Amino acid sequence: MAGQQFQYDDSGNTFFYFLTSFVGLIVIPATYYLWPRDQNAEQIRLKSLRRVHGRCLWYRLRLMKSQQSIVPTLKKAALLFGWAVFLLLAYKVSKLEREYQEYNPYEVLNLDPGASLSEIKKQYRILSLKFHPDKGGDEATFMRIAKAYAALTNEQSRQNWLIHGNPDGPGATSFGIALPAWIVDQKNSMLVLLVYGLAFMVILPVVVGTWWYRSIRYSGDQILINTTQLFMHFMYKTPNMNMKRLAMVLTAAFEFDPRSNKEATIRPTDNIEVPQVKTSVCFPWRKGKCMFLKRSLTEKRRVIVAEEMINVGCQLTMMANSRGGFHAPRLVTIENCMKLTQMIVQGLQESKSPLLQLPHFEEEHLRYCISKKYKVRTLQDLVSLKDSDRRSMLRFLGEEKYDEVMAVLGSFPHITMDTKLQVLDDEDSNNITAGSIVTVTVTLTRKRMAVRNKTQGDTSKTKTKVWQNKSKGAKKTAKSKKKKLTKKKATPAPAKTKQANGNVAGNVTKEEEDEASDKGSESDEGEANKDSPSERDEDSDKQSDTEVDEMAGDDEEEWEALQQSIQRRERALLETKSKVTHPVYSLYFPEEKQEWWWLYIADRRDQTLVSMPYHVCTLKDTEEVELKFPAPSKTGNYQYSVILRSDSYLGLDQIKPLKVATNCGGFMLVSVGMEWVFFSLFL
């Protein structure tokens, strides 16, 4: 049995192969992930946003960062250096001589492959006379010649050479270690041991321990665990919190404590400016002062911490619904958390006008908007004005400023909601039984307010006024039409009963003939044939067949709709949509913020959540969201609300009513002989 041999790389050639592979495994992925993206593309994107977002703080900071940053240059230099090392090592490896050569006895004897036996013997005789040790030749060379001669003349040696590549048969398996021999040299043993001990017993444990003890302090959203526990404590103790108390709880987060977060630093002006604003909940950075939060931290982190309060409120609501024993946070508390993110992004209090989100609008300008002539209080009111009235109202703005305001207003989102209520995986998806899982499919469509203004311009406004003036008349006509329809539906039944008497039937046929005199003889024959009982039976059979076909068609449509919904859900699980939607217009927010929304169902009468809020982060044009909740355990009609809230803009929230009618399964007793049988009914 062949043995094994381990050999270190004395020449150093194998080590270059290892080094080249190691450098390649680092350089190639690093280039793919770390190579700076095209700066021109970013400049083009910023240039396209300049008309709308040119005055935003984040836009100006992004321009300065792109012009002054040397990080992309350093990345490129480091990656190019890595590629230079990789190519140099690859060139070195290509020039290395191969140490292993296949054994060829013909080359040893200086013969051509396929030489005859006589030629082999003749050549061996000549070489032995020349290299035999007794003749003064080299002993090692002669041994190689004798071995080659045996491999070509001896049958067993020839078979070993053809099978194993060696006339002596299978030799020891040789394993080459791609490390230089000086590493295992006894002279360097202490140095190598010291390096191994330092790397694996000191550096590696320190790095892993540091990473572990830092990671266990944060949740999945990179929020400190202590902050989450703090929010949970306050919401558990105080289910109903107003905006001022929520802001105070937010400022107590551990993210703003330098002892828990190194990013939070104490500013020199905190001792002077913070006492001036700590008595009221305000956002004075809009005027260039400090924020009501006492530590400097990125506004993006503040928004994330505020969103964590929403998540904590939802978790407590789920725990209260499943376990009970304590009061869940009120709906107003969770909605105030959502409004708090809007306030942080826009730098406005909740009580302020949404018009202050626009550029060049100040408090003193609002008196022009809320006057009796215009009564503009929201962004939607401003959009719905005529161009002439709008320009007259905003006469305090110059032409350039007015165009900028219109461009910003046109970039604001206008969302339309379409809801569909159903019970999935049920025979009758429209029948809601008590305790069933109800699915509300909400289709969100985003358009710009400029598009809405064009489609619903001045003409639409005049039409709505006419419609408002005639609303009462329209209601009356609709009611009269309904009454007429009910009367018409009720008249055929007595007509059929009276047809058994001769006179009434005769009068009906005369009226029908008078009315159908212009339609020809075919219509008269058709009217006359209806009186025969056989035709009535055939008509009833046809009607039953059509009803069966319609029911089958409805079942097929429901099955196709169910399959399509399942396919949509599977695609949604597999697809990863980008969270880059549309940049938010915010004058004083220092980082680029994307448009995201909160979507949920609530019972505003009981001030409770019906479904957990869903954070819509991928709404660019159209998005379909499924909200699920258990139907109430008691039968009846329930009034819910589908609510859409922005996490960035004030005044763009939408509320749509949702009516839910639940039924329950009952039991009916039916007597059969002397036994009673229970029949289950779904009312």
Side-chain angles (χ1 to χ4, degrees):
M1 183 176 177
Q4 295 180 351
Q5 276 186 332
F6 292 92
Q7 297 178 356
Y8 285 91
D9 185 17
D10 294 328
S11 62
N13 294 341
T14 313
F15 179 68
F16 281 105
Y17 284 98
F18 166 75
L19 197 60
T20 304
S21 303
F22 182 76
V23 173
L25 289 174
I26 295 177
V27 170
I28 295 174
T31 303
Y32 180 77
Y33 289 106
L34 300 179
W35 185 264
R37 300 297 181 236
D38 189 7
Q39 296 296 320
N40 295 329
E42 180 66 15
Q43 292 295 333
I44 293 172
R45 188 183 77 90
L46 292 176
K47 188 176 180 180
S48 64
L49 298 175
R50 182 174 183 177
R51 183 170 180 265
V52 176
H53 301 273
R55 292 178 56 85
C56 295
L57 178 60
W58 70 264
Y59 184 86
R60 299 197 300 269
L61 293 176
R62 181 67 62 83
L63 284 180
M64 294 173 58
K65 184 178 180 181
S66 61
Q67 294 173 0
Q68 299 177 359
S69 179
I70 60 172
V71 175
T73 305
L74 295 177
K75 286 183 178 180
K76 287 182 178 180
L79 292 174
L80 290 175
F81 177 75
W83 275 101
V85 173
F86 176 71
L87 294 176
L88 182 63
L89 291 173
Y91 176 77
K92 177 71 175 176
V93 168
S94 65
K95 295 298 182 181
L96 293 177
E97 296 181 358
R98 294 179 59 187
E99 294 184 353
Y100 174 75
Q101 294 182 356
E102 186 178 357
Y103 182 76
N104 191 352
Y106 291 102
E107 291 182 1
V108 176
L109 296 177
N110 296 326
L111 291 173
D112 296 331
S116 62
L117 183 60
S118 59
E119 292 176 348
I120 294 172
K121 291 181 178 181
K122 181 180 180 181
Q123 184 66 16
Y124 172 70
R125 195 177 301 110
I126 295 172
L127 294 176
S128 61
L129 292 174
K130 182 178 179 180
F131 295 102
H132 198 280
D134 295 342
K135 303 292 183 178
D138 187 14
E139 183 177 0
T141 305
F142 179 76
M143 294 297 295
R144 291 177 59 246
I145 294 171
K147 184 177 180 181
Y149 176 73
L152 295 176
T153 56
N154 191 344
E155 187 63 28
Q156 184 176 0
S157 299
R158 186 179 182 86
Q159 291 296 325
N160 290 335
W161 169 61
L162 293 175
I163 297 174
H164 304 289
N166 189 2
D168 298 332
T173 304
S174 178
F175 293 94
I177 301 176
L179 292 176
W182 61 266
I183 291 181
V184 293
D185 193 354
Q186 189 174 2
K187 298 178 181 179
N188 303 324
S189 59
M190 293 299 298
L191 179 62
V192 173
L193 186 61
L194 180 63
V195 171
Y196 270 86
L198 185 65
F200 292 100
M201 299 180 66
V202 178
I203 297 177
L204 185 61
V206 168
V207 171
V208 174
T210 304
W211 168 81
W212 172 252
Y213 284 110
R214 284 184 179 178
S215 62
I216 61 175
R217 296 171 59 237
Y218 293 89
S219 63
D221 297 328
Q222 296 302 310
I223 300 295
L224 288 169
I225 300 294
N226 294 334
T227 299
T228 304
Q229 294 175 351
L230 178 72
F231 292 164
M232 190 165 291
H233 171 77
F234 278 104
M235 286 193 174
Y236 176 78
K237 293 293 184 181
T238 313
N240 192 359
M241 285 194 285
N242 57 17
M243 187 64 70
K244 185 174 181 178
R245 186 172 180 83
L246 279 174
M248 294 174 63
V249 173
L250 179 63
T251 57
F254 286 87
E255 269 75 8
F256 310 126
D257 188 357
R259 293 171 296 182
S260 302
N261 187 10
K262 294 182 179 179
E263 294 181 8
T265 57
I266 301 176
R267 296 171 295 194
T269 58
D270 283 348
N271 296 329
I272 300 173
E273 294 180 342
V274 170
Q276 299 175 1
V277 296
K278 68 180 181 180
T279 57
S280 62
V281 180
C282 61
F283 297 83
W285 79 82
R286 192 174 176 85
K287 299 295 184 182
K289 301 178 183 178
C290 64
M291 187 186 171
F292 77 103
L293 298 176
K294 297 182 290 185
R295 308 299 180 203
S296 65
L297 199 65
T298 60
E299 270 70 13
K300 186 177 181 180
R301 174 59 62 180
R302 291 168 186 160
V303 173
I304 294 174
V305 174
E307 290 175 352
E308 181 65 16
M309 299 178 72
I310 303 174
N311 297 331
V312 169
C314 297
Q315 292 175 9
L316 288 175
T317 303
M318 294 175 62
M319 292 171 61
N321 294 337
S322 60
R323 301 179 185 176
F326 63 93
H327 295 288
R330 303 287 289 175
L331 178 63
V332 65
T333 302
I334 298 175
E335 288 184 341
N336 284 338
C337 294
M338 297 178 183
K339 295 176 183 178
L340 191 59
T341 61
Q342 302 173 0
M343 296 162 61
I344 294 174
V345 173
Q346 295 296 334
L348 287 172
Q349 298 184 44
E350 181 188 7
S351 59
K352 297 296 181 180
S353 172
L355 298 175
L356 294 176
Q357 300 174 106
L358 298 173
H360 311 297
F361 266 80
E362 299 295 340
E363 292 281 351
E364 59 268 17
H365 298 148
L366 296 178
R367 59 189 178 90
Y368 298 102
C369 302
I370 62 177
S371 61
K372 294 182 179 179
K373 183 179 179 181
Y374 301 108
K375 297 181 181 179
V376 173
R377 299 182 181 275
T378 63
L379 297 171
Q380 293 81 357
D381 295 340
L382 184 59
V383 170
S384 61
L385 279 179
K386 293 182 180 179
D387 292 337
S388 59
D389 293 341
R390 189 188 302 115
R391 188 66 187 95
S392 176
M393 185 186 68
L394 302 179
R395 58 186 178 275
F396 58 88
L397 297 175
E399 288 297 330
E400 293 183 359
K401 292 183 178 180
Y402 178 77
D403 293 339
E404 184 180 351
V405 169
M406 289 298 100
V408 173
L409 183 62
S411 67
F412 275 39
H414 170 63
I415 309 298
T416 57
M417 285 196 303
D418 295 327
T419 58
K420 183 180 180 182
L421 187 69
Q422 57 184 346
V423 179
L424 297 178
D425 303 333
D426 197 355
E427 294 181 356
D428 187 2
S429 60
N430 297 322
N431 185 21
I432 302 175
T433 58
S436 61
I437 302 299
V438 182
T439 302
V440 179
T441 304
V442 183
T443 304
L444 303 175
T445 304
R446 184 197 185 276
K447 295 181 181 178
R448 300 192 305 130
M449 280 194 176
V451 177
R452 184 189 175 213
N453 193 11
K454 291 178 182 178
T455 56
Q456 299 181 3
D458 301 335
T459 57
S460 65
K461 189 177 180 181
T462 57
K463 289 181 180 179
T464 54
K465 287 184 178 179
V466 175
W467 177 81
Q468 289 175 357
N469 293 331
K470 294 184 178 181
S471 60
K472 294 182 179 179
K475 290 181 180 178
K476 290 181 179 179
T477 54
K479 290 181 179 179
S480 62
K481 287 181 180 179
K482 288 182 180 179
K483 289 180 179 179
K484 289 180 180 179
L485 289 174
T486 53
K487 289 180 180 179
K488 287 181 180 180
K489 290 180 180 178
T491 51
K496 289 182 180 179
T497 57
K498 290 180 180 180
Q499 283 179 1
N501 304 325
N503 297 327
V504 179
N507 294 331
V508 173
T509 54
K510 286 181 180 180
E511 292 176 357
E512 290 177 351
E513 288 175 358
D514 294 336
E515 292 176 357
S517 60
D518 298 333
K519 296 182 180 179
S521 60
E522 293 181 359
S523 60
D524 296 336
E525 293 176 358
E527 295 290 338
N529 291 333
K530 288 183 179 179
D531 297 331
S532 60
S534 61
E535 292 294 332
R536 292 176 187 172
D537 296 337
E538 291 179 0
D539 291 340
S540 62
D541 294 338
K542 290 180 180 179
Q543 289 179 359
S544 62
D545 294 338
T546 54
E547 289 177 357
V548 172
D549 294 338
E550 289 178 357
M551 293 177 62
D554 294 339
D555 293 340
E556 291 179 358
E557 291 178 358
E558 291 180 359
W559 175 255
E560 290 178 359
L562 178 61
Q563 293 297 320
Q564 290 177 0
S565 64
I566 293 174
Q567 292 176 1
R568 283 198 302 270
R569 278 180 282 177
E570 291 177 352
R571 284 196 301 268
L573 292 174
L574 296 176
E575 295 178 359
T576 55
K577 294 184 179 180
S578 174
K579 293 186 177 182
V580 178
T581 55
H582 300 274
V584 174
Y585 183 85
S586 177
L587 286 171
Y588 303 101
F589 198 72
E591 297 185 19
E592 184 177 2
K593 175 78 171 62
Q594 300 297 323
E595 280 184 18
W596 293 349
W597 304 83
W598 289 101
L599 182 64
Y600 57 98
I601 302 175
D603 188 349
R604 303 191 68 83
R605 188 185 66 178
D606 295 339
Q607 284 292 304
T608 56
L609 281 173
V610 177
S611 72
M612 292 299 105
Y614 181 82
H615 208 183
V616 184
C617 303
T618 57
L619 177 58
K620 295 188 73 174
D621 297 318
T622 304
E623 186 76 14
E624 191 175 274
V625 181
E626 289 185 353
L627 301 176
K628 297 186 178 183
F629 64 93
S633 57
K634 296 181 180 180
T635 61
N637 297 325
Y638 295 85
Q639 290 285 346
Y640 296 148
S641 299
V642 181
I643 305 174
L644 179 70
R645 291 193 183 275
S646 173
D647 68 347
S648 307
Y649 291 111
L650 277 75
L652 297 183
D653 302 339
Q654 295 189 26
I655 300 176
K656 191 171 184 179
L658 180 69
K659 297 181 180 180
V660 178
T662 59
N663 302 321
C664 68
F667 294 94
M668 180 176 68
L669 287 172
V670 180
S671 61
V672 181
M674 297 300 294
E675 298 179 354
W676 291 89
V677 181
F678 285 92
F679 286 89
S680 177
L681 300 176
F682 286 93
L683 303 178

